[in-house]
Amino acid sequence: MKLKFQIVAGGLLMFTVMGIVDSKNLNIPKYLWPVFIGFMIQVTAQVFGLNCMAPINPARDFPTRVFTAIAGWGAETFSIRGYNYWWIGIVGPHVGCIIGAWFYYLAIELHWPEEKEIEDGDIPLSIEAKDRKK
């Protein structure tokens, strides 16, 4: 169950980040990217925090387990109560982010038209001028 939350949270986060940084989509200025991405991280942490802590950061669980193992508790920190689910916090967000990025690419980014570069001598025509030309 925890793995599903990790994958979904990572996928949603990466999907929104791809939407924020895609210049063809929202065209958000670069100086606002940290604000929007930080807001999305906060929302994701609050939404999924009750079920499985903040499931988007692989570094929140694994380093503390390694430190505890080095400090004297040994391999018990990786298999507490017989559960070996320490790997879920590492694998889940990575798989979710890959899925979220591919989903954004396949569902949205592929469908944007290619931008034609305007050369120095070209004058872009307005919609009215194009209609008059026909």
Side-chain angles (χ1 to χ4, degrees):
M1 184 75 156
K2 186 176 178 183
L3 181 62
K4 293 177 189 175
F5 285 123
Q6 300 268 344
I7 292 173
V8 169
L12 286 174
L13 180 67
M14 184 53 71
F15 188 86
T16 55
V17 167
M18 296 280 291
I20 290 169
V21 301
D22 188 4
S23 62
K24 294 179 188 176
N25 190 0
L26 298 173
N27 202 15
I28 296 174
K30 287 186 179 182
Y31 62 87
L32 288 177
W33 288 1
V35 174
F36 285 103
I37 293 171
F39 178 71
M40 189 56 205
I41 290 171
Q42 180 65 30
V43 167
T44 305
Q46 288 180 344
V47 168
F48 291 96
L50 184 61
N51 293 329
C52 55
M53 299 173 18
I56 54 174
N57 187 3
R60 78 177 193 289
D61 182 55
F62 185 69
T64 55
R65 289 180 189 268
V66 171
F67 175 77
T68 308
I70 293 171
W73 279 269
E76 183 180 327
T77 59
F78 291 98
S79 63
I80 190 162
R81 296 187 200 121
Y83 300 119
N84 290 321
Y85 65 89
W86 61 270
W87 58 272
I88 292 174
I90 298 170
V91 173
H94 289 92
V95 170
C97 287
I98 291 169
I99 291 171
W102 272 105
F103 187 68
Y104 180 84
Y105 180 73
L106 294 174
I108 296 175
E109 191 172 339
L110 278 179
H111 303 288
W112 288 112
E114 293 294 325
E115 294 181 12
K116 183 180 177 184
E117 292 184 21
I118 299 174
E119 296 177 10
D120 290 335
D122 291 345
I123 299 173
L125 296 174
S126 65
I127 296 172
E128 295 171 5
K130 287 181 184 178
D131 289 340
R132 280 189 235 135
K133 212 175 189 184
K134 291 180 183 178

